[in-house]
């Protein structure tokens, strides 16, 4: 049978974009290239689906993703698609943490989105399965799906199992905090060494409700991933069943022309924010959801996170605020269990569509019918609370503003949600100087540590500062020392740590005017972040300030220093997604 006869018999959809590289006599050279890779007539008359795979030996989050991609590949192939796997970059947040290299992390989000967009555009693909492991993979892959608007399924690689030390479960968060404990003399170096050797027992993303698990959860609430796909551990057999299912779902989405633009809406983002604040998700989700909304042309502002958090109780107590990890949530049914409680309390929009073609409400009913999630009364989990008797009356994310953050700042409550702090500023021009101060033992109760010039442009790249925040907590100052920065925090950060201060110092935000000894006020109930200075004094100090030099003058960091937007709008670089 000739290629043309096979095509006519198969009934390939003439509207598929891949026809541009597989159809007609003039595409014989193109088909020859595909045949060199083992594709046959049946493949060439099938929808072409890209499998975007950031597998790497750089981080345990991604070390197993070739296996996950293989399962997705098989699912596509079994559903009569033509799977084409391609790679993209990743940066290990945990390994780059506390170094200059951490400036690459947020940049990698943009490069992942750009690279997936370019490959799918250049190769004329019909759909995508985008895989995420480490933190910036997640939003980067979802941004790419939104930008290309191809029928797509987001697929998480899964989280790591907790380690064990001294009879208790631990994660990498405990190791970071152990560094501060050693500096304070509360832990020996030998004990830290033992903890280091047992905290990360295998493949998968960091186990608590840190950034990777938060964004995987958000993918379900947004409708870009199937419900129930986030919680299975990386090395659990369910993870590979989920990957195969993703391959099948993307073919159904292609057949029904179901695209991200058909799924995402203001209601989808409201659902994601409600879930974020209910489970105590990472502050980074604020940045990434704003970026995703900008890509999707959905009007979302940072203030809406606070509005939703005020009306949404926190009903899951997971690390870093609590003690449990993603695997614990998996064992009782995963994110759908939380979403079901929220739906019954009218805290999310049940009519929001998902990638399966069913609404969230329909998908939850389907999972109940198939036994994929247990009845709520059968769930006995001391870290999950009913909506009418929650762990905290309000959600975990707070947006603070005031004369230090006119465009807002972000705090995740992991302790007292009535926290009020007034203390002298200890100002540092970068993370390294602040870390040296904390480890020197000079930190005092009541301090307000200020780290500036770490914003999207000033860093560039908004370094996460888990090293500093964990050292503060490890030194015994979780409740009596505050920290604020125009940079970011890891999802594992806990305590009164305020990030994303906007405008950032580099562009002349008020944080640039702070001096040692200025009295800073942080008030969670009032949502205030302010300094005891008059407007005239702030303006005078900023006017006297020398304009800073660009931190880098060549290479990729100079490029992104130029291109990043404000954290208040997601720190996007896509020209069409930049908001004034």
């Amino acid at each position: 049978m000739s290629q043309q006869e096979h095509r006519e018999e198969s009934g390939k959809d003439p509207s598929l974009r891949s026809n541009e590289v597989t159809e007609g006599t003039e595409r014989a050279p193109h088909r020859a290239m595909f045949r060199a890779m083992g594709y046959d007539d049946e493949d060439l008359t099938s929808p072409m689906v890209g499998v975007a795979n950031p597998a790497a030996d750089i981080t345990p989050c991604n070390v197993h993703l070739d296996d996950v991609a293989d399962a997705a590949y098989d699912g596509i192939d079994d559903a009569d698609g033509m799977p084409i796997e391609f790679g993209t970059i990743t940066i290990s947040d945990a390994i780059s943490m506390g170094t200059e290299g951490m400036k690459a992390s947020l940049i990698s989000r943009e490069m992942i989105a750009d690279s997936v967009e370019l490959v799918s555009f250049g190769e004329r693909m019909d759909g995508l399965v985008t895989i995420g492991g480490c933190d910036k993979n997640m939003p980067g892959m979802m941004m790419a799906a939104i930008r290309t608007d191809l029928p797509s399924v987001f697929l998480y690689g899964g989280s790591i199992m907790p380690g064990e030390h001294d009879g208790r479960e631990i994660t990498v968060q405990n190791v970071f905090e152990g560094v501060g404990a050693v500096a304070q003399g509360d832990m020996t170096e030998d004990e830290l060494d033992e903890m280091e050797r047992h905290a990360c027992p295998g493949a998968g993303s960091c186990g608590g409700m840190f950034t990777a698990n938060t964004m995987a959860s958000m993918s379900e609430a947004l409708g870009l991933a199937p419900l129930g796909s986030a919680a299975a551990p990386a090395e659990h057999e369910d993870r590979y069943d989920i990957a195969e299912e993703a391959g099948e779902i993307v073919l159904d989405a292609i057949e029904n022309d179901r695209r991200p633009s058909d799924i995402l809406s203001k209601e989808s983002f409201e659902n994601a924010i409600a879930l974020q604040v209910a489970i105590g998700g990472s502050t980074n989700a604020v940045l990434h959801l704003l970026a995703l909304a900008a890509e999707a042309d959905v009007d979302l502002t940072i203030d809406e996170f606070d509005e939703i958090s005020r009306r949404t109780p926190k009903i899951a107590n997971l690390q870093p605020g609590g003690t449990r990890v993603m695997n614990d949530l998996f064992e009782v049914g995963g994110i759908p269990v939380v979403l079901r409680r929220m739906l019954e309390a009218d805290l999310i929009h049940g009519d929001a569509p998902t990638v399966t073609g069913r609404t969230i409400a329909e998908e939850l009913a389907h999972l109940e019918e198939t036994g994929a999630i247990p009845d709520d009364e059968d769930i006995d989990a001391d870290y999950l609370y009913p909506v009418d008797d929650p762990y905290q009356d309000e959600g975990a994310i707070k947006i603070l503003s005031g004369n230090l953050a006119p465009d807002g700042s972000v705090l995740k409550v992991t302790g007292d949600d009535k926290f009020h702090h007034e203390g002298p500023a200890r100002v540092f021009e970068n993370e390294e100087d602040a870390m040296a101060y904390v480890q020197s033992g000079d930190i005092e109760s009541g301090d307000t540590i200020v780290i500036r010039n770490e914003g999207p442009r000033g860093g560039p790249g908004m370094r996460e500062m888990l090293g500093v925040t964990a050292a503060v907590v490890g030194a015994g100052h979780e409740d009596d020392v505050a920290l604020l920065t125009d940079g970011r925090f890891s999802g594992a950060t806990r305590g009164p740590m305020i990030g994303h201060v906007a405008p950032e110092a580099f562009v002349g935000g008020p944080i640039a005017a702070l001096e040692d000894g200025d009295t800073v006020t942080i008030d969670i109930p009032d949502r205030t972040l302010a300094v005891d200075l008059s407007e005239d004094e702030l303006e005078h100090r900023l006017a006297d300030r020398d304009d800073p030099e660009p931190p880098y003058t060549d290479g990729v960091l100079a490029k992104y220093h130029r291109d990043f937007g404000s954290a208040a709008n997601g720190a996007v670089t896509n020209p069409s997604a930049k908001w004034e």
Side-chain angles (χ1 to χ4, degrees), residues 452-486:
R452 62 191 178 197
N453 302 311
E454 296 284 2
R457 295 188 59 196
M462 294 186 78
R463 280 194 286 184
E464 290 182 3
M465 300 184 207
L466 177 59
V468 177
T469 61
V472 170
V473 172
H477 292 287
E478 179 181 355
D479 300 317
D480 61 353
V481 168
L483 188 151
L484 63 97
T485 180
D486 51 9

Side-chain angles (χ1 to χ4, degrees), residues 24-240:
T25 303
E26 69 278 15
R27 298 305 183 221
H30 305 63
R31 293 192 294 271
M33 297 291 284
F34 282 118
R35 293 185 195 283
M37 296 180 284
Y39 294 104
D40 58 19
D41 286 348
E42 185 176 356
D43 293 315
L44 292 166
T45 55
S46 301
M48 187 187 298
V49 181
V51 180
N53 176 15
D57 292 341
I58 289 171
T59 169
C61 309
N62 292 51
V63 73
H64 64 301
L65 292 187
D66 278 337
D67 294 334
V68 176
D70 285 347
Y73 191 106
D74 290 343
I76 295 165
D77 196 36
D78 291 345
D80 297 325
M82 178 182 175
I84 298 180
E85 183 181 343
F86 62 94
T88 185
I89 68 160
T90 191
I91 299 291
S92 170
D93 284 12
I95 294 175
S96 64
M97 192 78 67
T99 75
E100 187 179 15
M102 187 46 160
K103 296 181 179 186
S105 171
L106 188 61
I107 292 173
S108 77
R109 181 190 75 176
E110 304 301 296
M111 296 189 78
I112 289 166
D114 290 350
S115 64
V116 175
E117 177 191 4
L118 281 172
V119 173
S120 60
F121 174 81
E123 302 303 312
R124 316 313 287 157
M125 290 174 176
D126 301 313
L128 289 169
V129 173
T130 60
I131 304 173
C134 200
D135 295 1
K136 304 312 172 295
N137 301 176
M138 325 292 280
M141 290 295 185
M142 287 186 269
M143 288 164 68
I146 294 168
R147 201 182 293 170
T148 63
D149 204 31
L150 293 175
S152 303
V153 178
F154 177 76
L155 174 60
Y156 182 37
S159 63
I160 198 170
M161 294 295 287
E164 185 174 327
H165 171 69
D166 198 24
R168 63 189 177 103
E169 291 187 345
I170 60 170
T171 67
V172 73
Q173 172 193 344
N174 301 98
V175 185
F176 274 103
E177 292 179 3
V179 173
V182 169
Q184 190 70 15
D186 293 335
M187 180 184 288
T188 67
E189 290 188 15
D190 286 345
E191 184 177 357
L192 180 61
D193 180 74
E194 279 298 306
M195 186 180 287
E196 165 197 331
R197 295 174 187 277
H198 295 93
C200 301
S205 304
C206 297
M209 193 49 70
F210 309 151
T211 302
N213 280 326
T214 298
M215 292 310 299
S217 303
M218 298 304 97
S219 72
E220 291 192 31
L222 287 167
L224 295 176
L227 291 196
S229 63
E235 297 180 305
H236 195 284
E237 61 183 12
D238 283 12
R239 175 53 53 199
Y240 300 94

Side-chain angles (χ1 to χ4, degrees), residues 429 453 457-458 504-509 512 541-551 561:
E429 303 301 332
N453 302 311
R457 295 188 59 196
E504 62 175 294
F506 185 86
V507 301
R541 290 188 186 182
L542 290 172
D544 285 349
R545 169 178 171 264
D546 293 332
D547 290 338
E549 295 293 325
H561 158 76

Side-chain angles (χ1 to χ4, degrees), residues 30 66 94 100 188 243 246 282 306 384 401 421 453 456 514 576:
H30 305 63
D66 278 337
E100 187 179 15
T188 67
S282 169
D306 200 72
L384 289 180
S401 59
H421 175 91
N453 302 311
L514 279 176
S576 70

Side-chain angles (χ1 to χ4, degrees), residues 93 141 189 277-278 284-285 347 365 399 413 469 506 515 533 580:
D93 284 12
M141 290 295 185
E189 290 188 15
V277 302
N284 284 310
L347 294 171
I399 305 301
V413 173
T469 61
F506 185 86
E515 297 177 358
L533 296 173
E580 294 296 331

Side-chain angles (χ1 to χ4, degrees), residues 244-397:
E244 285 196 32
E245 182 187 15
E248 297 166 4
I249 292 172
V250 74
L251 266 296
D252 181 72
I254 292 170
E255 181 179 348
N256 291 281
D257 197 30
R258 190 162 52 248
R259 300 170 182 266
S261 58
D262 300 314
I263 296 168
L264 296 174
S265 65
K266 186 62 174 285
E267 288 73 24
S268 304
F269 283 92
E270 290 176 349
N271 284 349
I273 295 169
L275 178 63
Q276 177 199 10
V277 302
I279 62 178
S282 169
T283 53
N284 284 310
V286 176
L287 193 78
H288 300 324
L289 288 172
L290 286 167
L292 291 169
E295 297 282 359
D297 198 25
V298 170
D299 185 12
L300 184 69
T301 68
I302 195 169
D303 291 333
E304 291 175 84
F305 287 79
D306 200 72
E307 293 169 11
I308 292 171
S309 190
R310 286 180 185 270
R311 66 174 184 254
T312 307
K314 182 180 178 184
I315 60 173
N317 189 31
L318 303 165
Q319 284 193 21
T323 59
R324 299 304 187 102
V325 296
M326 191 64 146
N327 181 58
D328 293 302
L329 194 56
F330 168 67
E331 290 180 350
V332 297
I335 291 299
V337 169
V338 180
L339 289 173
R340 179 174 57 190
R341 293 186 183 188
M342 298 179 73
L343 178 65
E344 291 171 350
D346 201 26
L347 294 171
I348 60 171
H349 304 281
D351 58 352
T354 76
V355 70
T356 65
R358 292 184 284 262
T359 66
I360 281 186
E362 291 168 342
E363 195 69 25
L364 288 170
H366 174 72
L367 291 175
E368 289 177 336
E369 289 169 6
T370 59
I373 55 175
D375 293 337
D376 210 46
E377 58 268 22
D378 294 333
I379 296 173
D380 181 18
D382 61 5
Y383 50 92
L384 289 180
Y385 292 75
V387 171
D388 57 4
D389 188 20
Y391 180 72
Q392 289 176 332
D393 291 336
E394 292 187 358
I397 296 296

